[in-house]
């Protein structure tokens, strides 16, 4: 191609804002609240991995003012730039925005022997509620889990979409797979304190789902970055969503703190075993005590008397009575013997076997 024709094409590209390659893409229009911040992703072709990228301000490419570059400077005032060559995305972050920052900007890839390649977008900074916004632009999920994005918008004049940067889109009223992940969109028909809500749920996440997406409503888009990680050994599959304000203006969070649940599960088993052990011990103690009491009740009282030796003899009193007249005194030759006992040698003060004890012998008149 002739040099003058190439130069003419470059001038046309500069004036129209359209490059000959069209290998850079981004959102077309974002709305940001005054004092807030915004991160803009710029996706580029694989062959631009090692090229310098820059952020330029101005309606026309030709004559736009460079703000930051990936070589130098990477930061200028409220604006910074970073380049992820693995994801093939360079991102520009603008903070503390004011209405004076409302303008057209360019994502541009610098090329030495050809016209630079880039794409234009518009940023609108508003003092009130933005026309389309999210609570946070960065969300995290785990493989096999799900993530929910809440996109707030101010008007129902058009339906919403959820798109992957450099990929396809899913519209409201349709639920289908997007890059292998099931996507469901629910658009609330009633207005909340934050406006209307477009709820996007991605389930069955995979590592390949890491990347930039955006909510779309009319001609506005809001970029959202989703990072998918491998679950740890103590981490279960969970649903992650931003904190939102419901219709009663009460802030809720769908993602519960997994640490409390893990601690409860960790303590439940030993506590259960301890309760069972205490119960078994009490029952065993009660049964042993009952058995002991029954045994003591069945045992006869101890009335055992130590037996006397074989040679011990006890004689009862022998009395001869008058059978005819019991009240008449006995004759003089009547004899009364008292007890005669041979005592045990083993007992103290016991009498010897040959000792005899006689009681008093009294004669009565006849």
């Amino acid at each position: 191609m002739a040099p003058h024709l190439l130069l003419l094409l470059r001038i046309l590209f500069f004036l129209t804002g359209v490059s000959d390659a069209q290998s850079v893409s981004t959102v077309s229009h974002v709305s940001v609240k005054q004092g807030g911040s915004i991160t803009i992703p710029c996706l580029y072709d694989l062959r631009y991995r090692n090229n310098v990228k820059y952020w330029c301000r101005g309606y026309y490419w030709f004559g736009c003012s460079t703000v930051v570059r990936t070589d130098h400077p990477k930061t200028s005032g409220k604006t910074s730039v970073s380049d992820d060559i693995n994801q093939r995305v360079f991102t520009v972050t603008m903070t503390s925005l004011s209405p004076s920052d409302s303008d057209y900007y360019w994502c541009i890839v610098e090329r030495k022997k050809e016209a630079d390649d880039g794409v234009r977008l518009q940023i609108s900074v508003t003092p009130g509620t933005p026309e389309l916004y999210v609570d946070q632009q960065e969300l995290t999920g785990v493989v096999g889990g799900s993530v929910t994005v809440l996109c707030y918008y101010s008007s129902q004049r058009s339906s919403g979409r959820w798109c992957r940067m450099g990929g396809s889109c899913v519209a409201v009223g349709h639920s289908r797979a997007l890059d292998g992940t099931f996507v469901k969109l629910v658009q609330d028909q009633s207005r909340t304190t934050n406006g209307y809500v477009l709820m996007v749920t991605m389930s069955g996440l995979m590592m390949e789902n890491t990347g930039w997406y955006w909510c779309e409503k009319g001609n506005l888009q809001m970029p959202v970055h989703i990072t998918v990680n491998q679950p740890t050994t103590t981490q279960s599959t969970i649903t992650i969503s931003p904190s939102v304000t419901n219709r009663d203006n009460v802030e809720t969070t769908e993602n519960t703190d997994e640490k409390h649940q893990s601690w409860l599960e960790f303590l439940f088993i030993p506590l259960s075993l301890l309760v069972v052990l205490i119960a078994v011990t009490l029952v065993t103690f009660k049964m042993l005590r009952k058995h002991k009491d029954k045994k003591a009740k069945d045992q006869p009282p101890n009335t055992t008397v130590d037996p006397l030796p074989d040679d011990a003899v006890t004689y009862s009193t022998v009395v001869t009575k008058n059978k005819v007249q019991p009240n008449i005194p006995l004759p003089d030759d009547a004899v009364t013997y008292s007890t005669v006992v041979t005592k045990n040698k083993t007992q103290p003060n016991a009498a010897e076997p040959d000792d005899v004890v006689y009681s008093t012998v009294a004669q009565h008149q006849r």
Side-chain angles (χ1 to χ4, degrees), residues 287-331:
M287 292 180 64
L288 290 175
R289 186 171 181 178
K290 185 176 180 181
H291 179 72
K292 184 177 179 181
D293 293 343
K294 183 178 179 182
K295 185 176 181 182
K297 184 177 180 180
D298 295 340
Q299 185 176 356
N302 186 11
T303 58
T304 304
V305 179
D306 295 334
L308 294 174
D310 295 337
D311 54 355
V313 179
T314 301
Y315 297 92
S316 302
T317 303
V318 179
V319 179
T320 302
K321 294 184 179 180
N322 191 345
K323 297 181 179 180
V324 178
Q325 297 179 349
N327 297 325
I328 299 176
L330 293 173

Side-chain angles (χ1 to χ4, degrees), residues 3-183:
H4 62 277
L5 183 56
L6 179 60
L7 178 60
L8 179 60
L9 288 175
R10 288 182 179 178
I11 294 174
L12 289 175
F13 295 149
F14 287 154
L15 293 176
T16 60
V18 180
S19 72
D20 58 341
Q22 283 292 293
S23 299
V24 182
S25 60
T26 188
V27 293
S28 60
H29 188 190
V30 296
S31 178
V32 189
K33 186 175 181 179
Q34 180 178 348
S37 61
I38 187 68
T39 298
I40 302 297
C42 304
L43 181 68
Y44 54 84
D45 192 83
L46 179 62
R47 66 179 185 271
Y48 294 155
R49 291 182 60 182
N50 298 320
N51 290 55
V52 174
K53 293 89 179 177
Y54 61 96
W55 179 251
C56 200
R57 179 175 181 173
Y59 184 82
Y60 294 106
W61 186 351
F62 180 72
C64 70
S65 175
T66 301
V67 181
V68 288
R69 296 168 57 93
T70 56
D71 55 352
H72 182 76
K74 291 186 177 181
T75 301
S76 176
K78 302 180 296 182
T79 307
S80 61
V81 63
S82 62
D83 188 10
D84 185 347
I85 61 175
N86 295 320
Q87 293 290 325
R88 298 183 292 107
V89 175
F90 75 94
T91 56
V92 177
T93 301
M94 302 176 66
T95 61
S96 302
L97 291 170
S98 64
S100 61
D101 294 314
S102 298
D103 207 339
Y104 289 90
Y105 295 84
W106 293 85
C107 297
I108 303 176
V109 175
E110 187 177 75
R111 299 190 296 182
K112 295 181 179 179
K113 297 182 179 180
E114 300 176 84
D116 293 347
D117 192 359
V119 62
R120 185 178 65 187
L121 71 148
Q122 182 182 0
I123 297 178
S124 299
V125 182
T126 175
T129 303
E131 295 182 57
L132 177 65
Y133 72 97
V134 293
D135 287 323
Q136 50 185 316
Q137 286 189 266
E138 295 281 343
L139 295 176
T140 304
V142 296
V143 173
S146 61
V147 65
T148 299
V149 183
L150 298 174
C151 305
Y152 301 96
Y153 57 95
S154 59
S155 175
Q156 283 191 313
R157 288 177 295 180
S158 58
S159 61
R161 295 198 306 169
W162 175 254
C163 304
R164 176 155 192 176
M165 183 167 290
S168 57
C169 299
V170 178
V172 171
H174 298 80
S175 299
R176 65 180 184 86
L178 182 64
D179 296 334
T181 299
F182 182 76
V183 179

